[in-house]
Amino acid sequence: MSKMAGADGDDSLYPIAVLIDELRNEDVQLRLNSIKKLSTIALALGVERTRTELLPFLTDTIYDEDEVLLALAEQLGSFTVQCVFFFFVNLEYLDKAVESLRKISHEHSPEDLEAHFEPLVKRLASGDWFTSRTSACGLFSVCYPRVSKSTKSEIRQHFRTLCSDDTPMVRRAAASKLGEFAKVLELEYVKSDLIPLFAALASDEQDSVRLLAVEACVSIAQLLPQEDLEKLVMPTLRQATEDKSWRVRYMVADKFSELQKAVGPEITENDLVPSFQNLLKDCEAEVRAAAANKVKEFCENLPADSRETIIMNSILPCVKELVSDTNQHVKSALASVIMGLSTILGKDNTIEHLLPLFLAQLKDECPEVRLNIISNLDCVNEVIGIRQLSQSLLPAIVELAEDAKWRVRLAIIEYMPLLAGQLGMEFFDEKLNSLCMAWLVDHVYAIREAATCNLMKLVERFGASWAQSTIVPKVLGMASDPNYLHRMTTLFCISALSEACGQEITTKQMLPIVLKMSEDQVANVRFNVAKSLQKIGPVLENSALQAEVRPVLEKLATDQDMDVKYFAQEAMTGMYLF
């Protein structure tokens, strides 16, 4: 420490000496704090002293708690000195160390990579512990593009070795980096070296390795010319779609749209359509749900000239079966995307084939299915208009609005402004207005709060005159409700609606009710009066503030309840009424 901080008698380095002392402290937290300031220490010492003094010092004190080592590995990612590479020999088992190595590798010359980085990667790749070999898998792709031809050959050989390692965790790490490594390889080596590795990993005895090979398939398919895909990739992909492990088939279903784009329209039509049908009919619900979630995207990416035919003949029959699936997650996944098919198939096909499915899902016993249909109504509205659904839509909305689970009720409230815009004012007033008012007196606060926001959005959509005749009288009627929570809801609604309703309605209809409620017996209501007055203050004329609002707030400011006094004084201060 004296050598590093005091050799030059430089007082400016005294804080650095303190930090270095902390690195030796018995308290783990102090050591951790000092580690997190390593970049500051290095900056103060300069490049040369960091290389010759700080790094050797850290190397001598490397054996520490995992938490400290993790922070150290992360910090070293900001170092750009060439010799930092040697330091990672003791941190090789940490993921953060690999991340830092990947980060600093881009800041060094090919010569430095050859001299320091590449030997480290080789040593890790041939290490006795599987942890070092798994770490090596993440480093091949960052150094490969910038090293010599002979070194590239050695790196490819090391990667081949790791792909056939005896330890499943190493093969899994190699499979997870296969696609990334393929992107930096020359095309000839992708074909000669990586395709056999891809096929081997996709046939691995461990399903956790095989499913990662599916992810790599997307990257590899994007790199290969169209004429090579059928021979080099498709046999392995077909095998994966029929894999004995549902987790592998799930991964195929989850990546299906990406695979479809990678292989192109011709292979999609000939190979992927039958595979997608099989996934939609899979015996495992998780696989069917993943495939169902991709139905819209898959159909959108089909070749335009044969899209409608493929959907009607191959996809729609499977979709019809899924509508009545025994698993609610499958039905819910389908409901979240099925409405999107209407814009692809057009008006006639939607009315004839899709509309019965929508209606069936609106009557489904599972709330999530009904919610997902309602949340995507705008797709159908664009194609056939919402009136076609209105007779089935209304019972579904009413059931969801009265569902025993408050989160379901909350979800349907959030879609109400959208429904209002699509159904129109007349239909809304006739069928749904009473629901919106009923939510204001729900026993769950979150529902009452959401219902208040919902009213504000409805007023913004339908206008102040609609609010004056339809909403405001009902809201103000709650001011005399025996339940103080409902009286408070009146105040919340007035606060939310005042701006949208405008000055005249607020002054003539809302303000008198708020002022009257200042005499409420419940303190919670009175201090919410003060908060509401502050909220609607900007909407009111100054004459009303001085003549009507100020006397009430002054009275509340002398209230016996401390909270009422506080909020009254806050309101007066906020509106400059002192």
Side-chain angles (χ1 to χ4, degrees), residues 75-103:
Q75 279 294 310
L76 286 171
S78 63
F79 280 41
T80 56
V81 288
Q82 297 162 5
C83 57
V84 76
F85 294 126
F86 86 86
F87 183 74
F88 280 88
V89 298
N90 292 313
L91 290 173
E92 59 202 30
Y93 67 96
L94 289 171
D95 288 341
K96 284 290 181 185
V98 174
E99 285 179 29
S100 293
L101 279 170
R102 287 168 66 92
K103 180 179 176 182

Side-chain angles (χ1 to χ4, degrees), residues 6 36 81 148 206 233 272 349 429 452 455 460 531 566:
K36 289 179 178 178
V81 288
S148 64
Q206 298 282 331
V233 172
L272 294 194
N349 282 328
D429 281 345
T452 302
L455 285 186
E460 289 172 352
K531 291 169 75 174
Y566 171 79

Side-chain angles (χ1 to χ4, degrees), residues 200-421:
L201 291 169
S203 305
D204 195 275
E205 61 183 21
Q206 298 282 331
D207 63 353
S208 59
V209 176
R210 299 200 300 275
L211 65 86
L212 289 170
V214 172
E215 286 195 65
C217 183
V218 176
S219 300
I220 293 172
Q222 290 170 340
L223 298 170
L224 294 173
Q226 194 68 30
E227 59 271 16
D228 291 330
L229 286 172
E230 178 60 42
K231 182 176 69 172
L232 299 178
V233 172
M234 288 313 298
T236 306
L237 183 54
R238 289 190 200 102
Q239 174 186 313
T241 60
E242 299 172 358
D243 197 278
K244 61 185 179 181
S245 168
W246 72 266
R247 291 170 59 193
V248 177
R249 301 196 304 275
Y250 172 89
M251 182 61 76
V252 174
D254 190 53
K255 299 289 179 184
F256 213 83
S257 297
E258 296 171 51
L259 289 166
Q260 179 188 10
K261 292 174 186 175
V263 300
E266 187 178 339
I267 291 178
T268 293
E269 194 168 343
N270 297 333
D271 278 281
L272 294 194
V273 170
S275 296
F276 194 59
Q277 285 178 291
N278 291 335
L279 292 171
L280 289 170
K281 297 176 181 177
D282 198 273
C283 60
E284 292 291 340
E286 287 85 353
V287 179
R288 296 198 303 278
N293 210 32
K294 300 293 179 182
V295 164
K296 178 190 171 186
E297 204 173 343
F298 179 76
C299 292
E300 282 177 336
N301 294 325
L302 287 169
D305 56 344
S306 57
R307 181 183 297 149
E308 186 176 328
T309 304
I310 293 173
I311 294 173
M312 298 303 296
N313 296 336
S314 303
I315 305 302
L316 200 57
C318 300
V319 168
K320 288 178 179 177
E321 290 181 23
L322 293 179
V323 167
S324 55
D325 197 277
T326 55
N327 186 282
Q328 70 177 45
H329 299 294
V330 176
K331 292 187 291 184
S332 182
L334 180 65
S336 67
V337 297
I338 190 173
M339 306 291 267
L341 294 180
S342 57
T343 55
I344 300 171
L345 291 176
K347 184 174 182 179
D348 293 339
N349 282 328
T350 297
I351 293 173
E352 184 179 350
H353 299 285
L354 293 180
L355 190 57
L357 304 182
F358 300 157
L359 296 174
Q361 289 185 303
L362 278 171
K363 297 173 184 175
D364 195 274
E365 61 184 14
C366 175
E368 280 83 9
V369 174
R370 303 197 298 272
L371 271 176
N372 284 343
I373 288 292
I374 290 170
S375 66
N376 290 285
L377 281 174
D378 52 332
C379 300
V380 177
N381 195 31
E382 292 173 15
V383 180
I384 63 173
I386 208 168
R387 291 287 174 177
Q388 296 268 11
L389 281 170
S390 59
Q391 293 307 310
S392 293
L393 188 59
L394 190 61
I397 292 172
V398 171
E399 282 185 34
L400 290 168
E402 297 172 350
D403 195 278
K405 297 175 182 174
W406 70 268
R407 292 185 188 278
V408 175
R409 300 199 300 277
L410 183 64
I412 192 63
I413 291 174
E414 292 172 357
Y415 295 123
M416 201 54 68
L418 173 68
L419 288 169

Side-chain angles (χ1 to χ4, degrees), residues 16-139:
I16 308 304
V18 173
L19 288 175
I20 292 170
D21 270 345
E22 287 181 356
L23 281 172
R24 294 171 168 164
N25 199 289
E26 292 183 4
D27 188 333
V28 173
Q29 191 58 49
L30 277 176
R31 295 202 302 277
L32 189 60
N33 290 341
S34 191
I35 286 291
K36 289 179 178 178
K37 295 171 185 172
L38 265 185
S39 56
T40 305
I41 298 175
L43 193 63
L45 290 174
V47 174
E48 186 59 34
R49 294 188 67 184
T50 297
R51 180 190 295 119
T52 58
E53 298 176 29
L54 178 60
L55 286 175
F57 169 77
L58 289 172
T59 305
D60 291 340
T61 58
I62 190 63
Y63 302 102
D64 209 324
E65 300 286 337
D66 282 354
E67 189 180 5
V68 177
L69 293 176
L70 189 66
L72 181 56
E74 192 170 8
Q75 279 294 310
L76 286 171
S78 63
F79 280 41
T80 56
V81 288
Q82 297 162 5
C83 57
V84 76
F85 294 126
F86 86 86
F87 183 74
F88 280 88
V89 298
N90 292 313
L91 290 173
E92 59 202 30
Y93 67 96
L94 289 171
D95 288 341
K96 284 290 181 185
V98 174
E99 285 179 29
S100 293
L101 279 170
R102 287 168 66 92
K103 180 179 176 182
I104 63 175
S105 67
H106 301 295
E107 301 173 13
H108 291 79
S109 65
E111 292 76 20
D112 287 332
L113 289 177
E114 292 264 5
H116 304 287
F117 196 102
E118 193 267 339
L120 171 62
V121 175
K122 286 182 183 177
R123 195 182 58 73
L124 289 172
S126 55
D128 293 333
W129 289 91
F130 79 88
T131 48
S132 72
R133 302 199 296 277
T134 57
S135 296
C137 294
L139 299 174

